[in-house]
Amino acid sequence: MNPEHLALIEEFRRSAPANFKIEFSGDIVIMQASPSAIHERNLSVVRRQFEAHAPAGYISTGNMDLASPQVSKLRNPDLTYLPEDAMTSTENKVPAELALIAVEIVSPSNPENDWVGKLRDYPLMQIPLYLLVDAAQKTVTLFSEPEAGRYRMREDADFGEAIHIPEPFGFTLDTTVLLPY
Protein backbone atom coordinates (compact mmCIF):
# COMPACT_ATOMS: atom_id res chain seq x y z
CA MET A 1 0.00 0.00 0.00
CA ASN A 2 1.30 3.45 -0.86
CA PRO A 3 2.78 5.00 2.33
CA GLU A 4 1.33 8.38 1.36
CA HIS A 5 -2.16 6.84 1.26
CA LEU A 6 -1.65 5.26 4.68
CA ALA A 7 -0.51 8.61 6.08
CA LEU A 8 -3.60 10.25 4.59
CA ILE A 9 -5.89 7.62 6.14
CA GLU A 10 -4.25 8.14 9.53
CA GLU A 11 -4.75 11.90 9.20
CA PHE A 12 -8.44 11.35 8.34
CA ARG A 13 -8.78 9.13 11.42
CA ARG A 14 -7.22 11.77 13.67
CA SER A 15 -9.42 14.58 12.34
CA ALA A 16 -12.72 12.79 11.66
CA PRO A 17 -15.49 12.78 14.27
CA ALA A 18 -15.37 9.75 16.57
CA ASN A 19 -18.46 8.21 15.01
CA PHE A 20 -16.96 7.89 11.50
CA LYS A 21 -15.55 4.73 9.88
CA ILE A 22 -12.78 5.17 7.32
CA GLU A 23 -11.91 2.64 4.59
CA PHE A 24 -9.63 2.61 1.57
CA SER A 25 -10.10 0.99 -1.85
CA GLY A 26 -7.49 1.75 -4.48
CA ASP A 27 -7.37 5.55 -4.65
CA ILE A 28 -10.73 6.08 -2.92
CA VAL A 29 -11.16 6.91 0.76
CA ILE A 30 -14.62 6.09 2.13
CA MET A 31 -15.89 7.85 5.28
CA GLN A 32 -19.21 6.88 6.83
CA ALA A 33 -21.16 8.10 9.86
CA SER A 34 -22.18 5.75 12.64
CA PRO A 35 -25.06 3.37 11.87
CA SER A 36 -28.71 3.55 12.92
CA ALA A 37 -30.32 1.61 15.76
CA ILE A 38 -31.94 -0.87 13.31
CA HIS A 39 -28.54 -1.44 11.69
CA GLU A 40 -26.98 -2.24 15.07
CA ARG A 41 -29.92 -4.42 16.13
CA ASN A 42 -29.76 -6.48 12.92
CA LEU A 43 -26.01 -6.81 13.31
CA SER A 44 -26.45 -8.02 16.90
CA VAL A 45 -28.99 -10.72 16.01
CA VAL A 46 -26.78 -11.92 13.13
CA ARG A 47 -23.70 -11.94 15.39
CA ARG A 48 -25.58 -13.92 18.06
CA GLN A 49 -26.35 -16.65 15.52
CA PHE A 50 -22.75 -16.78 14.28
CA GLU A 51 -21.39 -16.91 17.83
CA ALA A 52 -23.18 -20.20 18.44
CA HIS A 53 -21.33 -21.75 15.46
CA ALA A 54 -17.94 -20.01 15.42
CA PRO A 55 -15.01 -22.39 15.03
CA ALA A 56 -12.65 -22.86 17.97
CA GLY A 57 -9.76 -20.43 17.99
CA TYR A 58 -11.67 -17.66 16.19
CA ILE A 59 -13.27 -14.56 17.66
CA SER A 60 -15.76 -12.09 16.30
CA THR A 61 -14.86 -8.50 15.78
CA GLY A 62 -16.42 -5.44 14.26
CA ASN A 63 -14.62 -2.25 13.46
CA MET A 64 -11.33 -4.03 12.66
CA ASP A 65 -9.46 -2.98 9.55
CA LEU A 66 -8.70 -5.82 7.16
CA ALA A 67 -5.70 -4.97 4.99
CA SER A 68 -4.58 -6.37 1.66
CA PRO A 69 -1.54 -4.34 0.65
CA GLN A 70 -0.97 -6.49 -2.46
CA VAL A 71 -4.27 -5.19 -3.94
CA SER A 72 -4.27 -1.76 -2.18
CA LYS A 73 -7.38 -2.46 -0.11
CA LEU A 74 -8.25 -1.65 3.49
CA ARG A 75 -11.82 -2.50 4.50
CA ASN A 76 -13.67 -2.53 7.79
CA PRO A 77 -16.60 -4.99 7.83
CA ASP A 78 -19.43 -4.75 10.33
CA LEU A 79 -18.57 -8.26 11.51
CA THR A 80 -15.76 -10.68 10.82
CA TYR A 81 -14.14 -13.71 12.44
CA LEU A 82 -10.39 -13.77 12.91
CA PRO A 83 -7.94 -16.14 14.59
CA GLU A 84 -7.46 -15.25 18.25
CA ASP A 85 -3.69 -15.07 17.82
CA ALA A 86 -4.12 -12.41 15.09
CA MET A 87 -5.71 -10.18 17.73
CA THR A 88 -2.70 -9.97 20.07
CA SER A 89 -0.99 -7.04 18.35
CA THR A 90 -1.24 -3.31 18.97
CA GLU A 91 -1.74 -2.80 15.23
CA ASN A 92 -5.11 -1.40 14.08
CA LYS A 93 -5.26 -3.75 11.08
CA VAL A 94 -4.88 -7.45 10.35
CA PRO A 95 -4.27 -9.32 7.09
CA ALA A 96 -7.58 -9.75 5.27
CA GLU A 97 -6.81 -13.31 4.21
CA LEU A 98 -7.12 -14.40 7.86
CA ALA A 99 -10.84 -13.48 7.95
CA LEU A 100 -13.35 -16.31 7.64
CA ILE A 101 -16.20 -14.02 6.58
CA ALA A 102 -17.15 -10.39 6.10
CA VAL A 103 -20.69 -9.48 7.18
CA GLU A 104 -22.18 -6.15 6.16
CA ILE A 105 -25.50 -4.60 7.14
CA VAL A 106 -26.15 -2.41 4.10
CA SER A 107 -26.20 1.29 4.87
CA PRO A 108 -29.30 3.00 3.45
CA SER A 109 -27.25 6.15 2.85
CA ASN A 110 -24.54 4.40 0.81
CA PRO A 111 -25.62 0.95 -0.43
CA GLU A 112 -23.15 1.11 -3.33
CA ASN A 113 -20.26 0.78 -0.87
CA ASP A 114 -21.51 -2.68 0.18
CA TRP A 115 -23.12 -3.87 -3.09
CA VAL A 116 -20.44 -2.62 -5.47
CA GLY A 117 -17.22 -1.60 -3.73
CA LYS A 118 -17.00 -4.35 -1.14
CA LEU A 119 -18.38 -6.96 -3.53
CA ARG A 120 -15.46 -6.03 -5.79
CA ASP A 121 -12.86 -5.82 -3.00
CA TYR A 122 -13.60 -8.76 -0.69
CA PRO A 123 -12.90 -11.54 -3.23
CA LEU A 124 -9.69 -9.73 -4.25
CA MET A 125 -8.78 -9.68 -0.56
CA GLN A 126 -9.35 -13.48 -0.42
CA ILE A 127 -12.21 -13.33 2.09
CA PRO A 128 -14.00 -16.66 1.52
CA LEU A 129 -17.54 -15.61 2.51
CA TYR A 130 -19.37 -12.29 2.17
CA LEU A 131 -22.81 -11.93 3.77
CA LEU A 132 -24.92 -8.88 2.93
CA VAL A 133 -28.00 -8.04 5.00
CA ASP A 134 -30.00 -5.39 3.13
CA ALA A 135 -32.75 -4.11 5.43
CA ALA A 136 -34.05 -1.67 2.81
CA GLN A 137 -34.56 -4.49 0.28
CA LYS A 138 -35.47 -7.05 3.00
CA THR A 139 -32.91 -9.51 1.60
CA VAL A 140 -29.89 -11.49 2.70
CA THR A 141 -27.25 -12.48 0.15
CA LEU A 142 -24.30 -14.79 0.63
CA PHE A 143 -21.36 -14.72 -1.77
CA SER A 144 -18.79 -17.51 -1.63
CA GLU A 145 -15.96 -19.24 -3.47
CA PRO A 146 -13.69 -16.34 -4.44
CA GLU A 147 -11.86 -17.04 -7.67
CA ALA A 148 -10.10 -14.77 -10.15
CA GLY A 149 -11.21 -11.61 -8.34
CA ARG A 150 -14.91 -12.44 -7.98
CA TYR A 151 -17.24 -14.70 -6.04
CA ARG A 152 -18.37 -17.74 -8.02
CA MET A 153 -21.43 -18.54 -5.89
CA ARG A 154 -24.37 -16.42 -4.77
CA GLU A 155 -27.37 -17.37 -2.62
CA ASP A 156 -30.27 -14.98 -2.00
CA ALA A 157 -33.07 -15.06 0.56
CA ASP A 158 -35.83 -12.67 1.53
CA PHE A 159 -36.32 -11.75 5.17
CA GLY A 160 -38.29 -14.66 6.62
CA GLU A 161 -36.48 -17.28 4.51
CA ALA A 162 -33.53 -19.32 5.70
CA ILE A 163 -30.07 -19.05 4.19
CA HIS A 164 -27.37 -21.68 4.70
CA ILE A 165 -24.01 -20.48 6.02
CA PRO A 166 -21.37 -23.04 4.97
CA GLU A 167 -18.44 -24.40 6.96
CA PRO A 168 -16.53 -23.49 8.98
CA PHE A 169 -19.73 -22.15 10.56
CA GLY A 170 -22.19 -24.70 9.17
CA PHE A 171 -25.64 -23.45 10.16
CA THR A 172 -28.84 -21.96 8.78
CA LEU A 173 -29.24 -18.24 9.44
CA ASP A 174 -32.68 -17.32 10.77
CA THR A 175 -33.77 -14.16 8.92
CA THR A 176 -37.22 -13.97 10.54
CA VAL A 177 -35.66 -11.93 13.37
CA LEU A 178 -34.31 -9.16 11.08
CA LEU A 179 -36.04 -5.78 10.89
CA PRO A 180 -36.45 -3.77 7.68
CA TYR A 181 -35.76 -0.03 7.37
Side-chain angles (χ1 to χ4, degrees):
M1 205 176 277
N2 182 329
E4 291 174 4
H5 290 159
L6 287 176
L8 184 59
I9 290 170
E10 289 307 314
E11 180 58 32
F12 280 141
R13 284 194 174 127
R14 281 191 294 279
S15 61
N19 63 340
F20 272 74
K21 286 175 47 172
I22 299 172
E23 299 175 313
F24 182 77
S25 178
D27 291 331
I28 299 169
V29 175
I30 300 115
M31 295 176 62
Q32 277 190 254
S34 292
S36 70
I38 287 177
H39 177 284
E40 287 301 293
R41 183 202 173 278
N42 283 343
L43 179 59
S44 292
V45 299
V46 168
R47 181 190 302 261
R48 192 175 310 132
Q49 292 181 62
F50 271 92
E51 286 295 321
H53 303 281
Y58 283 80
I59 58 173
S60 67
T61 182
N63 211 24
M64 174 57 63
D65 288 339
L66 302 180
S68 282
Q70 65 277 16
V71 292
S72 295
K73 310 288 182 197
L74 182 109
R75 290 297 198 160
N76 189 306
D78 290 327
L79 173 65
T80 190
Y81 280 81
L82 296 163
E84 287 182 38
D85 60 359
M87 303 300 289
T88 59
S89 152
T90 58
E91 292 288 319
N92 63 351
K93 60 184 177 285
V94 297
E97 65 271 10
L98 298 177
L100 295 178
I101 190 169
V103 177
E104 298 289 357
I105 311 298
V106 176
S107 168
S109 65
N110 189 8
E112 295 81 19
N113 187 39
D114 296 319
W115 277 108
V116 178
K118 291 181 180 182
L119 182 56
R120 174 195 62 234
D121 292 350
Y122 285 154
L124 291 170
M125 297 168 77
Q126 295 303 306
I127 297 173
L129 301 170
Y130 178 29
L131 183 71
L132 268 166
V133 177
D134 192 330
Q137 300 297 317
K138 300 180 200 137
T139 61
V140 178
T141 303
L142 177 69
F143 295 94
S144 60
E145 298 183 24
E147 183 181 285
R150 67 177 190 86
Y151 286 109
R152 291 182 56 243
M153 302 297 291
R154 175 181 174 153
E155 182 180 350
D156 295 287
D158 292 328
F159 280 17
E161 298 175 341
I163 192 162
H164 177 71
I165 308 299
E167 295 298 335
F169 300 98
F171 75 101
T172 300
L173 182 72
D174 177 9
T175 68
T176 63
V177 294
L178 298 172
L179 294 180
Y181 289 128

